[in-house]
Every structure is written in structure tokens, then in C-alpha cells.
Amino acid sequence: LQVSRRMITEKLVARKDVVVLNMLSSRIRDSLWLELYGPKLTANMFLRICDQLDDQVVRDLAVHAVTWKQLDSGATLFRDNESMGQAFIVITGNLSYLPSEHLLKSVIKGENSKPSKSPQRQTSSIDSHAVDAGPKIWLCELALWCRWSTTGQAESVMPSECLSLKVTDMSTVFGMHPEIAQIAQDYSSTLCTVIGRTKPHLSDLRQLLGINEDSVICALPQVSRCKVSQPALAAVYQAAGADADRVKAAKKLEDEVGAGKCWLGQDEESGTVLRVVQLVILRLIR
């Protein structure tokens, strides 16, 4: 399957080969990067919240912290147990991600005490555990918020393009926006605390992560939790207008956010305000 993909896929044009980009003014070029990279960055829930609080943040990230990475067929994006200081977003093409427990070295090590399998059967078993990572998929997202070592290997199965968001450059951009920097610091600390307490399944691939982002936001310190709810709360007050009952309901909602009972977000596509609550259920058995 991978061989057939590589044979029928046309080679991509590298950004460095598009000479006209160097002819653009810096202002137009920055606007172009925002158009290209902005929607990909705001697919991340926390970065979308940052954009709602300060629309200059994503622009600065797109211009100063994002790089475009091209991969040929068979190229490795990262290997297992590699110290990672950046996150990736697949733009075009397709990558194959294999968790560390299913890599050949792990399979062989795990089979030392069992009857040996033929190389063909081992390879077939490994291929069956590979996960496709296509456009819009994030990899190594946790590297943005904590010290991260990869938990698998990713390689391109056809000519592909990725965006790379570097942690050091992202931190520099956040430093230019003090309010966002404080919220990001709280988010990072809270995320690490949640991971340490709940011991979820960790992965380089977002879809395999056992972490609920809403729970992390709910656990933020009160000041930061109220700030991330401000854009949605402003939309609620705007919708209420001069209607006394709706304004009263909006005020009640604001009090609930302040008391830590919920936080407010907005749907990525429709902009609908979402009230997110955390339920704690205790089951008693006699």
C-alpha cells in the first residue's frame, strides 16, 4: 500500500523554490503566513483561546514561531524516545505513526521468551498497529507544554508537508503578550499536575492521548479560568442586549465561572457559546 502511494503521488513544490515569495514586502508576506498558518494553529484549543483573547498572538506565532517542513516519501519525522522541542501539524500528504510498544525492537524484545515468529509475521503485526496521520493531525503536541520525549516513530509514506511550531519561539512570542504568557504558564503547570495525578495514556498523536482538555481548563487557577472565559462571556452579554432577564442570567453565568463551577468556550465553527462543567460522581455500595 505504501509503495503504491509513493508511485502515484506527484512531488510537491518546496516553498524555497517559489521565487516570487522573496519579492513580496514583509507586510504582505506576514499576512500570507497568517492566512496559511493561522487556521492550522487555531485548531489547537488553547491557541484558539489565546487568539480570542488577543488576535495578535496567532499572527506573531505564524510569522515568528512556525516553519514549513517538507518530507519526501520514506523520510522520518522523528524517532522513538527522541527529546522533542517542537510540535507538528500535517498539512498535506500522509504519515505513518507507530507507537513504541509496536516497533520492531519492542516486538523482538517481547518475543524473547516466546516461540519465535517469522520475520514476515512480525512485519505484518507491526504494520497492523501503524496509525495514519493525515492533514490537520497534530503530533508531539505535549512538547509545547512540558518536557517531552517521543513515544513512537513517524515517517512519511508519500511526499508530505508539515508545520513545525517550536517551543522556544512560541515562548518568545508569548513573552510579547504578558497576559497570554501568564495564562500559558498556568495551563502548562495545570496540565502537568493533571497528568501526574490521573496517569493518562500519553502519546505523540493527539487522537491517542488520554487527556481531556476541558478538564485541564476547569482546573486552572481562578484568575486564568475567568480570563479564558471572557470572550464567550462578552458574547453572552452582547446577545442579552437590554433584556433584563437575559442580563440577569448572564450575570449568574459570570458568577458560576468566578466560583469555579464552569468555564465558557465557543464552538470552533459556529461560535456558539459552550458552558463546560465538571461532574464528580461518587458511587457507594453497601
Side-chain angles (χ1 to χ4, degrees), residues 91-284:
I91 303 302
T92 61
N94 198 76
L95 279 70
S96 176
Y97 175 77
L98 194 62
S100 57
E101 61 267 27
H102 300 304
L103 289 171
L104 183 58
K105 61 181 181 180
S106 300
V107 172
I108 293 175
K109 183 178 179 181
E111 293 295 330
N112 282 343
S113 58
K114 302 178 182 179
S116 61
K117 294 182 180 180
S118 67
Q120 291 83 358
R121 290 187 63 187
Q122 287 182 340
T123 303
S124 175
S125 175
I126 291 170
D127 288 341
S128 68
H129 290 99
V131 182
D132 280 347
K136 300 182 180 180
I137 295 297
W138 280 74
L139 297 108
C140 302
E141 189 175 345
L142 284 180
L144 299 175
W145 316 114
C146 58
R147 293 180 183 271
W148 183 250
S149 293
T150 55
T151 59
Q153 177 174 300
E155 70 171 34
S156 179
V157 297
M158 62 174 65
S160 304
E161 295 173 302
C162 298
L163 294 186
S164 167
L165 177 57
K166 296 185 177 179
V167 177
T168 52
D169 294 337
M170 184 184 75
S171 298
T172 300
V173 169
F174 283 166
M176 298 159 56
H177 304 270
E179 182 181 48
I180 299 298
Q182 182 58 58
I183 296 173
Q185 183 177 346
D186 287 341
Y187 180 81
S188 176
S189 300
T190 303
L191 175 63
C192 292
T193 300
V194 169
I195 290 174
R197 183 188 303 137
T198 61
K199 303 292 189 297
H201 176 73
L202 300 179
S203 173
D204 301 303
L205 210 57
R206 173 191 277 192
Q207 66 200 69
L208 300 181
L209 275 175
I211 298 174
N212 186 309
E213 292 174 292
D214 290 326
S215 297
V216 178
I217 299 292
C218 281
L220 284 175
Q222 182 179 2
V223 173
S224 289
R225 188 176 60 253
C226 290
K227 285 182 178 178
V228 301
S229 298
Q230 282 177 356
L233 194 59
V236 171
Y237 274 111
Q238 185 177 7
D243 188 309
D245 290 337
R246 297 179 71 179
V247 170
K248 184 178 180 181
K251 182 64 173 66
K252 182 179 179 181
L253 196 58
E254 184 176 9
D255 292 340
E256 287 185 5
V257 172
K261 295 180 179 180
C262 67
W263 76 277
L264 303 181
Q266 290 178 280
D267 182 78
E268 182 180 359
E269 296 181 359
S270 66
T272 303
V273 174
L274 304 174
R275 177 175 176 266
V276 184
V277 299
Q278 227 176 351
L279 298 179
V280 178
I281 301 174
L282 177 63
R283 183 182 182 186
L284 301 177

Side-chain angles (χ1 to χ4, degrees), residues 60-77:
D60 288 341
L61 288 174
V63 174
H64 301 295
V66 172
T67 56
W68 194 282
K69 188 176 184 66
Q70 185 177 11
L71 297 169
D72 293 327
S73 295
T76 299
L77 181 62

Side-chain angles (χ1 to χ4, degrees), residues 71-89:
L71 297 169
D72 293 327
S73 295
T76 299
L77 181 62
F78 56 79
R79 299 187 183 280
D80 181 39
N81 200 32
E82 181 180 329
S83 182
M84 187 55 62
Q86 56 193 318
F88 304 96
I89 317 163

